[in-house]
Amino acid sequence: MKTVTLTMTNPPELYLEGQNITPDAFAGKTAAEIAAIDVWEGKLKSPLGKYFTVEGNGGATAAETRIILRGDCSRLKRVGQQMTAGEIVIEGDADMYIGGWMKGGKIHVKGNVDSFCGLAMEGGELIIDGKAGHHLGSSPRGEWRGMQGGLIRVAGSAGNDTATFMNGGTIIIGGDADIHVSTHAEGGTVIIKGNAKGRVGGQMVKGDIYVFGQIENPLPGFKQVGEVEQEVDGVKARFIHYIGDLGERHPVSKGKPVYGNIYTRI
Amino acid sequence: MANKITLNMITQRSIEEGVAMEKGKTTPEYFEACSIIELHDEDIKALGLVPNQLVRVTSECGSVVVKVVKGRQTLYPGLAFIPQGVWANQIVPPRTQATGEPQYSGFPVTVEPVASGERRKSALELVQGAVGMWRGEQ
Amino acid sequence: MSELLIKNGFVFDPLQGIRGDRMDIAVKDGRIVETSALQHPETIDASGMTVMAGGIDIHSHVVGPKVNVGRLFRPEDKLFKSPLKRCNRMEMGFSVPSTFKAGYDYARMGYVFVNEAAMPPLHSPHVHEEIRDTPIIDNAAMPVFGNNWFTLEYLKNHEIENNAAYTAWLLRATRGFAIKVVNPGGTEAWGWGLNCENVHDPVPYFEITPAEIIAGLIETNEHLGLPHSVHLHCNNLGNPGNYTDTLDSLKLAEGYTPKNNFGREQVLHATHLQFHSYGGDSWGNFESRAPDVIDYVNSHDNITIDIGQVTLDETTTMTADGPFEHHLRALNNLKWANTDVELETAAGVVPYIYSPKVKVCTIQWAVGLELALLSKDLMRTFVSTDHPNAGPFIRYPRVITWLMSRAARDATMKTFKWLERTIDATSIDGIDRELDLYEIAQMTRAGPAKALGISNTYGGLAPGMDADIAIYALNPENMPENPEEIEKALSRCACLLKDGVVTVRDGEVLTEPPKRTVWVDVKVPENAQVQRDIYEHFLRYYSVNLGNYSLFEEHLFNPRVIEVDTTQ
Amino acid sequence: MPKRIENVGCPYCGVCCDDLVVTVSDDGKKILEVENACAIGNQIYHHATESERVRLPRLRQPDGTYKEISYDEAIDYAARVLYNAKKPLIYGFGSTNCEGMAAAAKVGEKAGAILDNCASICHGSSLLAIFDNGYPSCTLGEVKNRADVILYWGANPAHAHPRHMSRYSIFPRGFFTGKGHKSRKIIVIDPRYTDTARVADIYLQVKQGYDYDLFNAFRTVARGHEIPEEVAGIKREKILEVVEIMKNARFGTIFYGMGLCHTDGRNHNIDIAISLTRDLNDFTKWTIMAMRGHYNITGPNQVWSWQYGFPYCLDLSKRDIAHMNPGETSSIDLAMRGEIDAFFNVATDAGAHFPIEAVKELRKHPWITIDPNICMASEISDLHIPVGIVGVEVPGIVYRMDNVPVQYRKVIDPPEGVISDEELFERIYQRLCELEAEDAAKERVKTTAEGIPAED
């Protein structure tokens, strides 16, 4: 695997859109060629080298390319958008859409990220050591086919609208989650190690939500059906099992309705 | 009697604000329509106030002096209302929770009687003052 | 004085019976002229290429409120799907394109006239605003009548003259083009969450049947002598077994003959017939009844149809058939918009995915093609996708390729998950017919122009007509082996002349000549009762004042009026 | 002879009353009388000719005062601000006509701007919900003619839409509702016992911020499931009663307002209201409608949807492809995140209606106000360009809250020399083209971004 190191030396006045900062775009390119790749600051299109110093060449394929981002990338958006393979490490904070529409590979952000990260993810891994903003692993506006697969792991807390329209994959939040988790979900798993504020599983058709702490304000559309013991993200524990959203439609499989599940740790 | 209470704030349109706004935001009508806070009787009592006294309302992002009136459209205890407009917007949190819409309604504020000598500021003084353009009454 | 000579092309003009002859077409000041009339023309070399009149779309939802709902509520239809800007304005959207994209895309395919399939009268200013922003192509728009309270009341009492006076008034008020009927009676019933499931199912409260509405409107249309006929979207769209309802509807035209001065020969245009030609009684035994329906059409020459071909895309359905969209919402659970329009109509919008993996969808695909391929008169059978209902109009070249090439059909059928079942449920596999370019010109130009009553201006290449001319890089004497090449050539025409102006070259839009709004102005005798009814209804039931309802002249964009005088 | 002008459309709220009768003085310069309008509408007409109007653009001077300049100078100034900014924001449009909005979009596209409208801080939540869940709605005449159950939720038309109840919902006698008010059941749900609630048959005092939970309870009950004793401060029996009324309606309409849009959850409060409306259509006929604020705030949603496919928050900065994502491309977020470097306030008053923190952020950059009136925005601008008042001095098409287009008239001429929004934007567009051509001549063409490739 070859490593390309980008160091932000000339930060943008506004924000930088870096949808081309992916192993897919860097593969097969030399450092000089990578420095010539387009990035946008508002209506200005510039070569990446205007903002970053570039060291190292890309690997032969995306899978053989690792990108390390250094310097202040807190105003950098869309890193790893639609990436299929390879690895990205962001050594500090990053802005919006990190790992959006990601299909494969791995992104590791060592700081915090803003909203819309892991949007419409299909595969791969997005690891965030800090906290995440809103709409983590959510679906783009109007799209009913949200996150399809892959893993998002956030060490800290997440904002509201995690996993809206989720269809598959797993989101693990180490801290607390704000309102609206798995709204309209039709699959997938969300694990919240801390507390959830409320509106968990609203309009949910299918899927699983685990809350290790408390749900501050549970919805009336969920009904307690029993207790289960399960291993969740390596932790074996007993949970109270709720089904819902009973206000929402539910498909029938083998003569039985299929519900969304919420498990809260006892 | 408390000298400060925490309430849940909402800001919405009132017809007085609507009429006055069309007349002009620098008019006395607009000032009287918007530089007020409506509270439930119990909360007014808890603060030891009488209607028409001035209070300072402080949110997570700002503070404004307005006049207390008894809820015209009945509130429940703990809920406070400032008509949409310049005074309300001194304290409305700009956070949008990634929706584009500020938190115009449903944010915590503290309400306390003003220190002596504090007054309600005019719309122009508030807005121009906030951006460093206030040059005093012309 | 601009002069152009299109030299040496293979010319197809069914209106004149020209079948691929090598000839020159002369253009002067925006009109087609005799070649002898030119002095110093610029020439366009069309040798080895196909020359046709500009395309005419008889049925497409491109402008107006429900189209705009489709745009507004589907941001995902734009995400990573919109092309980069090539023309004057951005082009956004896939299944429901922006107005600019619609105009450019039609032009690139060599089309010049598009008939908006449904205009809610109350929303006509909106329709005309969008027409203004749709570049290049000429537009007409059909106000909907089949659920209009005035129409229902007049026809219930069989007051044809009153209905005719009201129809004339509404055409003028909306600057409309023809009488559109969508799910007659059923859409009014939808005001109460109900429907009229067949032509004899009475409309709640109004106590008139869809059959009476259809027949009454045909009578009204011929009484007025409008350029186009009644344009009907039959009851019970989209449901298994509906072909009998369709035949019941078509039979209502029996005994009526066209009366008009526009060369139109039908009294009824049945639109997107694909959606109305289904057998079976459930989705399980869903099957094609296209042969039964087209047999009937073949033997009744006072009917024209368009096919409403399914293109196997993700698209956005939208129709004034409100109850159908509600029904569809329950089938696919996707987002649903509905707009009931007071006293007039309704509309629903739901996204839909026609997947080659779904048996019903692939049967639907076959039904549309069966209708066209089993048709005995392609001057009465037109290409459409009921854009965007069965697929976006940018797929016309693909639809035409399927019609022209058995190999293209086979290649598509290979992708079907339920190929055997599709073959069993349809007759598509037994049809070897491949249409030629003359027949395509019938289905996309000459036929629709004639059916719309505009064939004196559009759809042909005779001297005196508008110089709307499409040139395609297709050599009829040496058609490409690979059907994809046909699709490519038809998608991006080699050249389009609009009003004699070279508008598209090699598939690129060069300029935007002024487009027109085509509407029909009917003069009828004074009718005090109808005037009074209109006044009363506005006073009591409408939410807009009568004085603000009719389109203000300043909101009508570059009009071309077709005048009809019934007082002579 | 004073002139009486009938069928005049009112440029105040989304109700778009088009039955005003305005009497204008002999010389056509003064408005003498306005009939049929509410208190607010009345004020607009009288304000137009009674108050001191700004007649020329005003440019801020180094000493903080304004100096009058010509329209040509102002247009050049505005075009240069747009041209030189990396990401200018053009916001507003609540109070102008569709013609002006279409012209502004041309400018935005040419300038690579963000184009946003007042929905961004108003019914943007509704638009987000519509993206996710659709919009089963109808025109207001349908409500008048058919509705026997009316539900106002988080809306207070008595204050915000003064003639809404009398024209369309509660009081009018329609075709199937000949008994007017008597033929209808009125339900009001609001944390405050508002002046609207006073006319209700049933009032539910929902706990502020818990609307989503209450909707969830309604839906759960409608599907025949149990709910807790109390939800959102409302007793179970009351919820059961209301759901029963809704299921048994012949035709019902939910009108909702800022009480849903401006609180926690924003769009989801509306999203679930739409879900409830969908559910109820399995029993009977129900529709839902946003109580849109300004008379033509629905307009830019319509115009920009047909032009670009997005109703608001359009990022045109790539110039060849548009992008929209409220939360990122929305005015308040752009302001608070420091994403833009110039601000145009058009036909609205961001100075008064944005949270002051956002105003402070925006004021760090050039700020131009285009509006007929002196307002908070105009008083903190670098440049204020006055325009004619739509519906009073400028005609045009506007879209009512139910998306019905209404053709507005002009009743008097604008003050001499004052132009319309449409003309102003057309001229700014022309000036932008000239600036571009000048730079091209100097071979300093700005690079145009390539955008995102199409995926057919």
Side-chain angles (χ1 to χ4, degrees):
Chain A
M1 187 167 252
K2 287 198 164 180
T3 300
V4 180
T5 305
L6 305 181
T7 308
M8 179 78 84
T9 47
N10 179 27
E13 187 191 346
L14 305 177
Y15 281 74
L16 206 56
E17 287 169 64
Q19 55 262 46
N20 287 342
I21 304 179
T22 62
D24 301 77
F26 285 13
K29 290 196 172 72
T30 64
E33 287 167 332
I34 290 167
I37 282 176
D38 293 335
V39 290
W40 290 263
E41 185 183 357
K43 62 186 168 194
L44 279 191
K45 183 179 76 171
S46 306
L48 194 149
K50 179 180 164 188
Y51 303 93
F52 297 93
T53 56
V54 184
E55 295 163 90
N57 302 328
T61 64
E64 295 162 276
T65 303
R66 176 194 293 126
I67 304 171
I68 297 177
L69 282 145
R70 295 199 171 127
D72 180 6
C73 292
S74 60
R75 294 169 85 85
L76 177 59
K77 297 183 193 182
R78 294 184 184 269
V79 174
Q81 179 169 308
Q82 290 172 303
M83 72 185 268
T84 62
E87 203 181 319
I88 299 176
V89 180
I90 302 176
E91 300 216 316
D93 297 344
D95 194 47
M96 291 176 164
Y97 300 103
I98 306 304
W101 298 274
M102 187 175 175
K103 294 183 174 69
K106 185 176 173 183
I107 300 178
H108 182 186
V109 183
K110 294 189 175 170
N112 304 318
V113 295
D114 210 311
S115 301
F116 307 112
C117 291
L119 199 69
M121 192 168 172
E122 290 177 31
E125 271 181 74
L126 173 62
I127 310 296
I128 294 153
D129 292 350
K131 54 187 190 173
H134 311 299
H135 288 265
L136 176 73
S138 194
S139 72
R141 301 296 180 193
E143 179 59 80
W144 62 89
R145 295 152 292 199
M147 181 169 170
Q148 303 290 328
L151 170 71
I152 301 176
R153 185 184 284 276
V154 178
S157 62
N160 48 247
D161 281 276
T162 297
T164 306
F165 282 109
M166 190 181 201
N167 272 52
T170 304
I171 301 176
I172 302 167
I173 297 166
D176 299 338
D178 206 337
I179 55 170
H180 287 291
V181 178
S182 298
T183 310
H184 284 292
E186 293 207 38
T189 303
V190 176
I191 299 163
I192 300 162
K193 298 288 180 67
N195 300 317
K197 213 163 168 194
R199 307 187 184 195
V200 179
Q203 293 157 285
M204 186 180 190
V205 177
K206 256 163 71 179
D208 300 311
I209 304 170
Y210 295 87
V211 182
F212 282 53
Q214 301 292 314
I215 299 179
E216 203 179 293
N217 184 39
L219 285 171
F222 278 82
K223 180 170 89 177
Q224 187 176 336
V225 290
E227 291 184 12
V228 290
E229 185 164 299
Q230 280 194 40
E231 194 182 308
V232 179
D233 193 31
V235 180
K236 201 159 192 180
R238 280 192 75 74
F239 295 87
I240 301 173
H241 178 200
Y242 302 85
I243 57 165
D245 172 350
L246 297 176
E248 185 54 67
R249 73 183 161 88
H250 292 282
V252 175
S253 172
K254 293 174 190 144
K256 279 187 152 179
V258 180
Y259 294 105
N261 301 297
I262 297 179
Y263 302 92
T264 56
R265 190 172 170 180
I266 299 168
Chain B
M1 192 175 111
N3 53 8
K4 192 189 247 188
I5 53 173
T6 300
L7 300 172
N8 184 20
M9 173 62 68
I10 58 174
T11 76
Q12 295 296 343
R13 170 143 278 174
S14 75
I15 193 157
E16 296 81 9
E17 179 260 339
V19 175
M21 182 183 88
E22 296 302 342
K23 186 145 195 197
K25 296 205 182 80
T26 53
T27 59
E29 287 88 341
Y30 185 72
F31 181 80
E32 281 309 326
C34 297
S35 63
I36 58 163
I37 182 171
E38 295 187 21
L39 298 175
H40 190 270
D41 282 349
E42 281 182 25
D43 294 324
I44 297 180
K45 220 179 283 170
L47 276 167
L49 294 172
V50 292
N52 295 332
Q53 268 189 282
L54 299 187
V55 288
R56 174 166 290 284
V57 185
T58 307
S59 75
E60 66 198 58
C61 66
S63 175
V64 69
V65 175
V66 287
K67 185 174 83 177
V68 171
V69 301
K70 188 182 151 185
R72 292 167 182 165
Q73 303 182 84
T74 323
L75 302 148
Y76 58 77
L79 190 65
F81 169 80
I82 299 183
Q84 147 187 322
V86 170
W87 289 265
N89 282 324
Q90 303 304 306
I91 55 167
V92 167
R95 58 185 160 86
T96 79
Q97 313 298 118
T99 65
E101 301 233 20
Q103 189 83 23
Y104 282 114
S105 282
F107 58 94
V109 294
T110 59
V111 179
E112 59 197 317
V114 293
S116 67
E118 283 196 278
R119 60 181 176 89
R120 286 187 284 176
K121 289 182 180 172
S122 73
L124 211 51
E125 183 176 355
L126 285 171
V127 177
Q128 287 192 329
V131 298
M133 294 174 78
W134 176 244
R135 303 185 307 140
E137 296 295 342
Q138 297 294 302
Chain C
M1 292 286 275
S2 72
E3 294 187 341
L4 266 171
L5 188 64
I6 301 166
K7 286 184 75 75
N8 279 326
F10 295 100
V11 174
F12 293 88
D13 181 8
L15 287 177
Q16 297 186 87
I18 302 171
R19 297 173 171 266
D21 304 354
R22 285 182 103 135
M23 54 191 281
D24 300 345
I25 302 288
V27 173
K28 188 172 175 178
D29 299 334
R31 295 287 172 108
I32 294 170
V33 295
E34 302 288 352
T35 48
S36 57
L38 300 187
Q39 316 242 300
H40 306 288
E42 278 181 58
T43 60
I44 294 174
D45 181 12
S47 50
M49 299 204 231
T50 292
V51 178
M52 293 182 182
I56 310 291
D57 196 339
I58 197 166
H59 186 104
S60 178
H61 301 270
V62 280
V63 290
K66 71 183 173 319
V67 182
N68 219 28
V69 170
R71 297 189 189 102
L72 186 154
F73 94 149
R74 291 207 65 192
E76 77 282 8
D77 194 47
K78 267 83 62 176
L79 189 69
F80 304 133
K81 283 179 180 169
S82 296
L84 298 179
K85 185 169 167 178
R86 305 292 289 269
C87 303
N88 189 25
R89 299 297 295 266
M90 282 186 199
E91 299 180 63
M92 297 294 296
F94 171 73
S95 71
V96 203
S98 65
T99 52
F100 301 117
K101 184 168 195 288
Y104 299 143
D105 274 342
Y106 266 114
R108 282 187 281 249
M109 298 192 316
Y111 273 66
V112 295
F113 183 100
V114 177
N115 184 27
E116 164 54 41
M119 165 159 67
L122 182 61
H123 291 260
S124 72
H126 180 168
V127 172
H128 288 280
E129 276 207 287
E130 288 201 23
I131 286 176
R132 178 200 68 205
D133 277 351
T134 306
I136 304 171
I137 54 174
D138 292 353
N139 285 111
M142 297 185 288
V144 287
F145 283 89
N147 298 279
N148 185 306
W149 289 3
F150 291 90
T151 305
L152 300 186
E153 282 168 2
Y154 291 136
L155 293 183
K156 179 165 125 185
N157 303 322
H158 204 74
E159 296 167 14
I160 297 297
E161 257 180 58
N162 287 343
N163 193 47
Y166 171 73
T167 302
W169 180 81
L170 195 69
L171 285 173
R172 170 162 256 287
T174 60
R175 300 305 193 274
F177 180 76
I179 297 176
K180 175 69 187 298
V181 189
V182 179
N183 186 4
T187 297
E188 162 54 31
W190 175 239
W192 304 116
L194 306 169
N195 196 1
C196 293
E197 277 160 16
N198 61 64
V199 293
H200 305 299
D201 199 357
V203 188
Y205 173 80
F206 290 93
E207 293 305 317
I208 179 174
T209 64
E212 291 164 325
I213 300 170
I214 297 166
L217 283 170
I218 292 175
E219 230 174 290
T220 304
N221 199 86
E222 300 315 318
H223 176 88
L224 290 170
L226 300 181
H228 189 34
S229 64
V230 164
H231 192 116
L232 174 68
H233 157 144
C234 298
N235 298 78
N236 204 16
L237 174 143
N239 284 319
N242 66 4
Y243 82 104
T244 54
D245 303 310
T246 306
L247 290 173
D248 286 346
S249 305
L250 299 182
K251 283 174 189 161
L252 295 167
E254 284 176 18
Y256 291 105
T257 49
K259 296 192 184 74
N260 67 95
N261 300 323
F262 300 94
R264 162 174 63 85
E265 292 178 3
Q266 88 282 9
V267 298
L268 181 66
H269 178 78
T271 191
H272 42 69
L273 209 55
Q274 177 274 128
F275 284 123
H276 303 275
S277 302
Y278 303 152
D281 55 22
S282 72
W283 298 115
N285 62 13
F286 182 76
E287 61 175 355
S288 168
R289 284 293 190 152
D292 305 66
V293 175
I294 198 67
D295 273 358
Y296 181 87
V297 174
N298 281 337
S299 58
H300 292 81
D301 58 12
N302 63 349
I303 294 173
T304 57
I305 67 155
D306 64 87
I307 58 177
Q309 177 62 32
V310 164
T311 65
L312 302 171
D313 284 292
E314 177 181 322
T315 192
T316 310
T317 68
M318 51 181 66
T319 166
D321 195 338
F324 171 74
E325 292 289 355
H326 175 251
H327 174 64
L328 194 63
R329 160 222 73 125
L331 290 177
N332 72 5
N333 289 312
L334 298 184
K335 50 189 165 188
W336 167 53
N338 178 76
T339 308
D340 296 353
V341 181
E342 62 210 54
L343 289 80
E344 295 177 350
T345 183
V349 190
V350 177
Y352 199 80
I353 302 164
Y354 291 98
S355 166
K357 294 193 179 73
V358 175
K359 187 189 72 170
V360 169
C361 299
T362 54
I363 293 173
Q364 288 178 307
W365 174 85
V367 170
L369 296 176
E370 286 177 273
L371 289 170
L373 294 169
L374 298 174
S375 167
K376 290 193 173 139
D377 185 357
L378 295 172
M379 278 300 280
R380 296 196 285 120
T381 308
F382 313 134
V383 168
S384 77
T385 59
D386 186 17
H387 166 82
N389 284 299
F393 71 79
I394 49 166
R395 295 294 189 228
Y396 286 177
R398 187 168 296 172
V399 174
I400 293 168
T401 305
W402 282 324
L403 294 174
M404 294 187 75
S405 163
R406 162 102 209 193
R409 298 198 287 273
D410 287 344
T412 299
M413 284 166 72
K414 276 206 192 98
T415 67
F416 293 176
K417 185 175 176 194
W418 305 101
L419 179 59
E420 286 311 313
R421 293 213 197 168
T422 303
I423 289 172
D424 290 348
T426 70
S427 64
I428 191 69
D429 201 41
I431 304 175
D432 288 325
R433 187 178 183 188
E434 294 184 330
L435 304 185
D436 62 24
L437 286 167
Y438 183 80
E439 289 166 316
I440 296 304
Q442 288 181 307
M443 295 181 79
T444 57
R445 276 106 172 125
K450 191 155 182 260
L452 288 166
I454 53 172
S455 60
N456 57 344
T457 316
Y458 296 94
L461 298 169
M465 296 177 77
D466 279 7
D468 299 333
I469 305 165
I471 306 173
Y472 299 102
L474 280 176
N475 185 337
E477 290 177 352
N478 184 21
M479 288 293 277
E481 284 290 313
N482 181 356
E484 282 173 23
E485 296 292 317
I486 302 178
E487 183 180 339
K488 219 170 117 191
L490 295 171
S491 297
R492 297 276 183 267
C493 69
C495 182
L496 173 72
L497 265 62
K498 172 80 187 350
D499 288 314
V501 177
V502 179
T503 303
V504 178
R505 252 282 158 76
D506 299 325
E508 299 289 336
V509 176
L510 302 181
T511 180
E512 298 177 22
K515 57 90 53 64
R516 294 189 198 82
T517 309
V518 182
W519 70 284
V520 174
D521 192 7
V522 192
K523 213 164 149 190
V524 290
E526 285 274 309
N527 187 320
Q529 189 196 324
V530 170
Q531 287 308 320
R532 198 165 52 241
D533 291 345
I534 290 169
Y535 176 80
E536 290 272 310
H537 274 65
F538 274 88
L539 197 62
R540 292 179 176 181
Y541 309 129
Y542 267 101
S543 62
V544 170
N545 267 21
L546 177 56
N548 295 328
Y549 180 82
S550 292
L551 191 78
F552 293 1
E553 203 62 34
E554 70 232 46
H555 300 140
L556 178 62
F557 189 80
N558 201 13
R560 168 179 261 176
V561 193
I562 298 176
E563 284 174 356
V564 179
D565 191 346
T566 70
T567 60
Q568 301 287 304
Chain D
M1 269 290 283
K3 193 167 58 162
R4 265 180 114 243
I5 304 163
E6 296 188 341
N7 300 313
V8 174
C10 174
Y12 175 58
C13 76
V15 170
C16 292
C17 304
D18 69 334
D19 59 346
L20 273 51
V21 180
V22 179
T23 308
V24 180
S25 66
D26 209 7
D27 58 3
K29 290 209 157 74
K30 191 147 175 61
I31 289 168
L32 302 175
E33 199 189 344
V34 182
E35 295 161 61
N36 298 341
C38 69
I40 304 173
N42 227 303
Q43 187 57 248
I44 291 174
Y45 284 92
H46 289 301
H47 180 72
T49 56
E50 277 171 8
S51 66
E52 196 52 45
R53 290 279 296 278
V54 181
R55 285 153 194 272
L56 274 175
R58 303 180 296 158
L59 184 67
R60 186 77 57 190
Q61 301 301 301
D63 69 354
T65 60
Y66 263 143
K67 182 187 137 197
E68 289 191 343
I69 60 173
S70 71
Y71 272 98
D72 279 341
E73 288 168 303
I75 285 158
D76 178 64
Y77 186 99
R80 283 180 193 279
V81 166
L82 285 171
Y83 193 69
N84 293 325
K86 286 182 193 161
K87 203 168 185 176
L89 167 62
I90 307 177
Y91 165 85
F93 303 96
S95 300
T96 184
N97 58 12
C98 291
E99 291 82 352
M101 293 157 186
K106 231 162 95 178
V107 168
E109 189 175 332
K110 178 62 89 183
I114 305 265
L115 205 54
D116 196 9
N117 55 66
C118 304
S120 202
I121 60 159
C122 190
H123 269 288
S125 302
S126 300
L127 296 166
L128 292 179
I130 291 167
F131 298 156
D132 285 345
N133 208 1
Y135 194 54
S137 194
C138 63
T139 66
L140 286 162
E142 281 288 280
V143 180
K144 162 169 130 174
N145 287 321
R146 296 187 203 265
D148 60 342
V149 180
I150 300 282
L151 172 56
Y152 282 109
W153 196 319
N156 188 10
H159 281 244
H161 302 84
R163 294 181 71 205
H164 190 266
M165 297 182 290
S166 62
R167 273 176 73 83
Y168 309 124
S169 65
I170 300 181
F171 303 110
R173 294 163 194 272
F175 193 78
F176 296 104
T177 51
K179 290 186 180 146
H181 191 184
K182 286 202 191 87
S183 51
R184 297 191 181 91
K185 197 88 159 172
I186 313 301
I187 305 164
V188 171
I189 302 179
D190 203 289
R192 289 187 300 156
Y193 185 64
T194 57
D195 289 335
T196 305
R198 285 172 215 278
V199 296
D201 299 297
I202 295 175
Y203 166 64
L204 304 185
Q205 187 160 37
V206 61
K207 199 172 148 199
Q208 197 282 329
Y210 288 82
D211 305 271
Y212 189 88
D213 308 63
L214 186 55
F215 276 115
N216 186 234
F218 274 48
R219 295 188 74 206
T220 304
V221 167
R223 283 182 198 268
H225 297 286
E226 297 276 316
I227 54 161
E229 196 60 35
E230 189 179 304
V231 177
I234 312 293
K235 292 266 179 276
R236 178 163 59 202
E237 304 76 67
K238 210 72 192 161
I239 294 171
L240 294 176
E241 182 194 345
V242 170
V243 171
E244 210 45 36
I245 292 171
M246 294 178 88
K247 281 163 82 168
N248 289 313
R250 279 192 310 168
F251 185 110
T253 304
I254 299 172
F255 290 107
Y256 68 91
M258 291 299 109
L260 299 189
C261 297
H262 277 170
T263 63
D264 283 343
R266 313 283 199 286
N267 53 305
H268 294 294
N269 304 325
I270 298 142
D271 182 344
I272 196 167
I274 293 166
S275 284
L276 174 65
T277 311
R278 285 173 71 112
D279 297 346
L280 288 166
N281 274 287
D282 291 337
F283 301 100
T284 179
K285 185 64 186 259
W286 271 83
T287 53
I288 186 165
M289 197 183 297
M291 297 288 285
R292 305 301 303 268
H294 284 287
Y295 69 96
N296 196 23
I297 188 49
T298 311
N301 305 148
Q302 291 291 344
V303 175
W304 299 344
S305 285
W306 79 61
Q307 296 194 326
Y308 304 99
F310 301 125
Y312 76 136
C313 299
L314 291 99
D315 179 351
L316 306 177
S317 66
K318 298 299 165 286
R319 285 192 170 119
D320 54 5
I321 193 159
H323 161 67
M324 174 206 71
N325 189 11
E328 179 200 17
T329 62
S330 36
S331 295
I332 298 294
D333 294 283
L334 292 165
M336 295 311 296
R337 283 164 46 82
E339 280 222 41
I340 53 124
D341 55 358
F343 182 60
F344 276 55
N345 171 88
V346 184
T348 189
D349 187 0
H353 295 297
F354 277 4
I356 198 74
E357 291 299 309
V359 176
K360 284 193 220 167
E361 290 298 324
L362 291 168
R363 194 61 195 86
K364 292 176 180 168
H365 310 289
W367 176 318
I368 295 175
T369 293
I370 297 170
D371 195 87
N373 299 311
I374 291 180
C375 59
M376 292 301 120
S378 74
E379 296 318 285
I380 57 171
S381 294
D382 295 303
L383 173 65
H384 175 210
I385 310 179
V387 286
I389 305 172
V390 170
V392 182
E393 300 157 351
V394 180
I397 294 177
V398 310
Y399 287 80
R400 204 167 63 184
M401 62 162 65
D402 55 354
N403 293 312
V404 168
V406 185
Q407 304 173 91
Y408 273 30
R409 297 154 195 278
K410 77 176 216 180
V411 294
I412 49 167
D413 289 329
E416 202 182 327
V418 171
I419 64 177
S420 68
D421 290 291
E422 184 185 14
E423 185 185 343
L424 178 67
F425 278 108
E426 286 293 345
R427 284 170 66 180
I428 293 174
Y429 176 80
Q430 292 308 330
R431 188 68 196 119
L432 274 172
C433 293
E434 286 166 16
L435 290 174
E436 213 174 68
E438 283 166 23
D439 264 5
K442 286 183 236 156
E443 293 185 12
R444 277 202 304 140
V445 187
K446 296 202 172 183
T447 48
T448 304
E450 276 171 17
I452 307 159
E455 199 179 67
D456 206 43

